[in-house]
Amino acid sequence: MKYTDVVTNTEVYGMESAVKGSKYPMAVDLNKVDGNVVPRTHALANAKPGSGHDNFLNGILVQFDLTFTNKAWVEMERYHFIDFISSQSTMHRITKFNLDEVYISYTDPRIIEIMKEKVAAYNDLQKVISDKKIAGEDVSELSEQAKEKYLEILYSNPAGFRLTARMTTNYRQLKTIYAQRKTHRLPEWRAFCDWVETLPNASFITNIG
């Protein structure tokens, strides 16, 4: 799996100002402080996580589109300093996706076929409800059936279903993620860490002391 399969549309902000800020503790005249990366910058960035010396990494912000399966998203949510800007939604659109395209290759094809059957049955029922409404007929019972079928779809959807979200985080959080996930069993996490290695001054993240 390539990192472009999981991360796209990357933007990095605040690199120069964060590097400049990392020099404040040793500065007397702030007018002489610049944003150039020097050996001390690397030493601070590569400090042991939790030591506080790498705090300037909080100021280097990263935004990107992340496409993960349900399985990987659950694990991503353990991190406190990575936020969802917005995301695709199974709750709203599960019956509209092309199910031949949205599942990772490790998803059992038999399960995908079951999902396609359930979605087709729901969409057929919705068509019946729409036609009966136009005809002025009572559809309350059918509407309840549709709600139940929709819940069946949501709860039957396997962990291999992929969704894309716009994310925002910082280099310090990525440093933690990289250390914990670079050899992870899920190929998505390894691809994510490959992407981290492509970021500007990625050694701030990857060369952990």
Side-chain angles (χ1 to χ4, degrees):
M1 180 177 288
K2 306 184 299 295
Y3 76 81
T4 51
D5 293 328
V6 297
V7 183
T8 55
N9 300 322
T10 302
E11 296 176 287
V12 179
Y13 306 94
M15 178 72 70
E16 184 176 354
S17 60
V19 170
K20 182 177 180 179
S22 74
K23 299 177 181 179
Y24 283 8
M26 304 302 290
V28 175
D29 185 354
L30 294 183
N31 292 319
K32 295 181 180 179
V33 177
D34 60 32
N36 294 327
V37 175
V38 297
R40 178 173 170 77
T41 314
H42 287 285
L44 292 172
N46 301 151
K48 199 170 186 179
S51 66
H53 298 302
D54 61 355
N55 201 54
F56 82 95
L57 296 178
N58 289 334
I60 307 174
L61 307 180
V62 190
Q63 295 185 350
F64 52 95
D65 289 347
L66 180 61
T67 302
F68 262 4
T69 61
N70 288 341
K71 175 61 180 170
W73 277 124
V74 169
E75 296 178 351
M76 176 62 83
E77 289 168 359
R78 68 172 291 178
Y79 296 107
H80 299 291
F81 300 103
I82 184 164
D83 293 321
F84 290 74
I85 295 173
S86 188
S87 71
Q88 292 179 296
S89 172
T90 53
M91 186 62 66
H92 296 299
R93 306 298 286 176
I94 185 65
T95 60
K96 304 300 180 183
F97 285 95
N98 183 339
L99 299 185
D100 288 319
E101 297 177 353
V102 293
Y103 292 107
I104 200 167
S105 61
Y106 298 103
T107 308
D108 191 318
R110 294 171 297 177
I111 299 174
I112 297 174
E113 287 305 311
I114 291 172
M115 288 299 299
K116 289 165 70 173
E117 290 171 10
K118 288 183 175 295
V119 167
Y122 172 83
N123 287 333
D124 288 346
L125 181 56
Q126 286 293 87
K127 178 67 166 55
V128 171
I129 291 172
S130 177
D131 290 343
K132 285 184 176 295
K133 280 183 177 179
I134 293 172
E137 298 180 37
D138 179 25
V139 296
S140 55
E141 185 175 340
L142 291 176
S143 294
E144 287 303 312
Q145 291 179 26
K147 290 177 183 178
E148 292 297 312
K149 286 185 178 296
Y150 201 84
L151 289 175
E152 283 184 15
I153 292 168
L154 288 173
Y155 284 118
S156 298
N157 196 30
F161 189 91
R162 294 177 295 179
L163 287 172
T164 299
R166 186 68 180 170
M167 310 296 291
T168 183
T169 188
N170 59 65
Y171 268 38
R172 196 177 186 199
Q173 181 67 98
L174 289 176
K175 181 177 173 180
T176 298
I177 295 173
Y178 183 84
Q180 295 178 353
R181 303 289 175 172
K182 61 183 177 180
T183 59
H184 197 273
R185 180 174 291 179
L186 295 184
E188 297 160 273
W189 277 120
R190 297 196 301 276
F192 182 87
C193 290
D194 289 343
W195 163 74
V196 169
E197 294 173 0
T198 71
L199 293 172
N201 289 312
S203 60
F204 289 177
I205 300 169
T206 60
N207 292 345
I208 300 168

